[in-house]
């Protein structure tokens, strides 16, 4: 496909030659466009895109530098959503976009940001070699696909589908975007409607967190363990349905409420405490599930009061070493990476403490 862009000063349009087709039931224009022009109409919507990963941008920059050194490089097409902007002329095979209009990038933000970073760096230099490299960057042709009329939900779904196959997207983001999974709906319901925990306490985009309560993916796993006894999500099927949804929701909401009530002060300080580790939280959930299996009327707060509250959640806990949980002598922190074993071990320790203390009169 030939490349042609026209910045029409009279009509204030950018024109790209391309072809119009249909993908997934939606009109899409396939074209080529230089980096310089893409940067003019580029828009990033954080409601659709993930946060920028600087390490990934840096890696792509090195690849582009390889091209600047005279080697052939290739990039897959960037995907945009026009959101009704621009028009395609079938007779001339041209997509015309007003110069003041933008299009939202759905896939390829790290690629184009890497080009932008190098462009800015070269613009600050005045030597002839830098000028030639700048020309190369500005005129580098990229294939683009433009979806003309997508809803926000469809944009999110397309972003999720593309990145599930081509690059790693956090499970958290996938859960927040899913519309056909009742467990995901429950997680989002809890995040946005918990009576005492605000939604900003949850990480809804990244795969991990060091400052917030937990990720949406962790909450999803807690729900599976707490209500179904499932330890590994892959290949597992929850019994959640519309009929028992209120029961599942009540349990998950109560779990979070009690966690906030009985966890140590400053529990979010992961350097000092390990209670908010995802596998540890699943261990607490597993213990509750086991007790409810024995007695459906079991009061969840009983475990929190007589075991969770009294447990030593600090990194100085020597009982964990005796239980075989790995300890890093350099960082002076426990490693909770062996998922199912950690979950089961934490559950066993909590149950043991509960059985010791349940007959005692404890001061709250």
């Amino acid at each position: 496909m030939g490349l042609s862009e026209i910045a029409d000063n009279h009509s204030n349009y950018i024109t790209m030659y391309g072809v119009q087709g249909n993908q997934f039931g939606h009109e899409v224009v396939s074209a080529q466009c230089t980096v310089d022009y893409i940067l003019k109409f580029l828009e990033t919507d954080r409601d659709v895109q993930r946060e920028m990963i600087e390490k990934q941008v840096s890696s792509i920059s090195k690849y582009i530098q390889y091209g600047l050194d005279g080697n052939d490089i290739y990039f897959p097409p960037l995907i945009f959503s026009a959101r009704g902007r621009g028009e395609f002329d079938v007779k001339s095979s041209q997509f015309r976009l007003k110069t003041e209009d933008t299009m939202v990038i759905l896939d390829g933000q790290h690629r184009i940001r890497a080009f932008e970073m190098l462009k800015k760096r070269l613009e600050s230099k005045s030597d002839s070699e830098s000028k030639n490299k700048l020309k190369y960057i500005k005129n580098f042709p990229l294939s683009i696909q433009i979806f003309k009329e997508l809803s926000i939900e469809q944009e999110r779904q397309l972003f999720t589908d593309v990145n599930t196959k081509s690059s790693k997207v956090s499970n958290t983001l996938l859960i927040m975007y899913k519309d056909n999974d009742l467990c995901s709906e429950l997680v989002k319901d809890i995040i946005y409607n918990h009576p005492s925990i605000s939604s900003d306490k949850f990480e809804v985009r990244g795969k991990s967190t060091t400052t917030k309560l937990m990720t949406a993916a962790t909450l999803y796993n807690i729900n599976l363990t707490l209500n179904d006894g499932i330890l590994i999500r892959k290949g597992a099927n929850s019994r959640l349905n519309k009929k028992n949804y209120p029961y599942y929701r009540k349990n998950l909401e109560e779990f979070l409420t009690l966690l906030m009530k009985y966890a140590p002060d400053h529990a979010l300080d992961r350097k000092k405490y390990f209670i908010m580790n995802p596998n540890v939280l699943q261990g607490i959930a597993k213990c509750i599930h086991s007790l409810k299996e024995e007695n459906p009327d079991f009061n969840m707060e009983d475990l929190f009061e007589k075991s969770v509250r009294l447990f030593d959640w600090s990194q100085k806990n020597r009982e964990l070493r005796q239980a075989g949980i790995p300890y890093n002598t350099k960082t002076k922190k426990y490693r909770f990476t062996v998922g199912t074993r950690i979950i089961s071990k934490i559950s066993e320790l909590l149950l043991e403490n509960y059985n010791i203390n349940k007959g005692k009169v404890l001061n709250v």
Side-chain angles (χ1 to χ4, degrees):
M1 185 187 299
L3 166 68
S4 181
E5 296 151 338
I6 305 168
D8 189 335
N9 294 324
H10 297 290
S11 57
N12 294 319
Y13 279 93
I14 294 175
T15 302
M16 291 170 280
Y17 287 101
V19 295
Q20 181 171 258
N22 187 287
Q23 288 187 18
F24 316 117
H26 300 284
E27 287 187 350
V28 59
V29 175
S30 298
Q32 263 192 339
C33 192
T34 63
V35 166
D36 203 34
Y37 275 91
I38 290 175
L39 290 173
K40 294 180 188 299
F41 59 71
L42 175 71
E43 177 185 350
T44 303
D45 186 343
R46 289 301 171 203
D47 286 336
V48 177
Q49 267 287 359
R50 55 184 164 181
E51 294 294 323
M52 194 72 67
I53 303 172
E54 293 303 323
K55 184 177 180 180
Q56 191 169 334
V57 174
S58 177
S59 176
I60 296 171
S61 296
K62 292 177 181 178
Y63 181 59
I64 298 172
Q65 185 63 54
Y66 180 71
L68 286 171
D69 293 336
N71 301 289
D72 292 330
I73 58 176
Y74 168 78
F75 291 96
L78 278 64
I79 301 177
F80 288 85
S81 176
R83 293 186 175 177
R85 301 169 188 140
E87 57 184 16
F88 186 79
D89 188 327
V90 178
K91 291 183 179 179
S92 63
S93 296
Q94 293 178 346
F95 181 79
R96 302 171 72 237
L97 182 73
K98 291 181 180 179
T99 54
E100 69 268 24
D101 282 345
T102 59
M103 294 190 293
V104 174
I105 191 165
L106 301 181
D107 184 63
Q109 69 160 341
H110 291 88
R111 279 165 265 161
I112 196 62
R113 289 305 181 195
F115 275 104
E116 183 181 33
M117 183 178 70
L118 289 172
K119 178 175 178 282
K120 289 180 178 178
R121 186 183 302 166
L122 291 168
E123 284 174 338
S124 66
K125 300 179 180 180
S126 57
D127 61 282
S128 59
E129 182 180 359
S130 294
K131 287 182 178 179
N132 288 332
K133 288 183 176 181
L134 177 61
K135 184 178 180 181
Y136 173 90
I137 291 292
K138 293 173 68 174
N139 294 311
F140 190 93
L142 291 169
S143 297
I144 64 173
Q145 290 185 313
I146 306 166
F147 284 83
K148 296 171 65 178
E149 298 283 353
L150 294 178
S151 66
I152 296 293
E153 290 73 24
Q154 289 168 337
E155 288 178 356
R156 289 174 173 173
Q157 187 61 54
L158 179 57
F159 167 78
T160 302
D161 290 346
V162 168
N163 286 282
T164 299
K165 300 298 181 182
S166 63
S167 63
K168 293 182 179 179
V169 178
S170 71
N171 286 329
T172 291
L173 201 56
L174 293 175
I175 288 166
M176 295 304 293
Y177 281 0
K178 281 183 179 179
D179 292 323
N180 57 350
D181 180 1
L182 200 55
C183 286
S184 293
E185 293 302 313
L186 173 58
V187 166
K188 287 181 277 191
D189 185 5
I190 291 290
I191 288 174
Y192 294 118
N193 298 298
H194 193 283
S196 60
I197 305 174
S198 61
S199 60
D200 61 2
K201 299 297 183 184
F202 297 91
E203 174 55 56
V204 297
R205 300 188 68 83
K207 65 179 181 180
S208 62
T209 180
T210 57
T211 59
K212 298 185 180 182
L213 183 61
M214 66 185 67
T215 66
T218 296
L219 186 57
Y220 189 105
N221 291 336
I222 290 172
N223 171 59
L224 291 178
T225 305
L226 180 68
N227 286 305
D228 293 308
I230 296 171
L231 304 187
I232 301 176
R233 186 192 318 172
K234 186 176 181 180
N237 293 314
S238 172
R239 295 189 296 271
L240 175 63
N241 54 50
K242 291 183 179 180
K243 186 175 181 180
N244 62 24
Y245 184 95
Y247 174 77
Y248 274 58
R249 190 192 188 287
K250 176 181 176 296
N251 282 341
L252 190 56
E253 181 182 295
E254 185 180 3
F255 178 91
L256 291 175
T257 301
L258 294 172
L259 178 66
M260 296 301 289
K261 180 178 179 180
Y262 289 102
D265 292 338
H266 310 295
L268 293 184
D269 183 354
R270 274 123 170 130
K271 292 182 179 180
K272 186 176 181 180
Y273 298 106
F274 58 85
I275 188 172
M276 294 303 174
N277 177 276
N279 289 327
V280 171
L281 290 172
Q282 273 190 268
I284 300 173
K286 182 181 186 300
C287 189
I288 294 169
H289 177 79
S290 299
L291 290 167
K292 279 186 171 289
E293 285 281 282
E294 295 177 7
N295 177 15
D297 296 324
F298 175 76
N299 184 351
M300 195 185 300
E301 187 164 11
D302 207 32
L303 177 74
F304 275 91
E305 182 182 351
K306 296 174 182 176
S307 186
V308 174
R309 178 176 69 90
L310 303 173
F311 197 83
D312 181 4
W313 297 107
S314 75
Q315 296 288 350
K316 296 179 180 180
N317 184 338
R318 294 188 176 183
E319 184 182 1
L320 267 63
R321 291 202 213 185
Q322 297 172 356
I325 295 178
Y327 183 79
N328 189 320
T329 55
K330 291 183 178 180
T331 62
K332 296 183 179 180
K333 291 168 64 177
Y334 284 98
R335 296 196 303 269
F336 299 98
T337 53
V338 187
T340 55
R341 189 168 74 85
I342 296 298
I343 293 169
S344 296
K345 184 56 66 176
I346 292 295
S347 177
E348 290 171 9
L349 291 172
L350 288 173
L351 186 59
E352 181 181 332
N353 283 1
Y354 174 71
N355 287 330
I356 293 172
N357 294 321
K358 67 180 180 180
K360 299 178 181 180
V361 177
L362 301 171
N363 295 320
V364 180

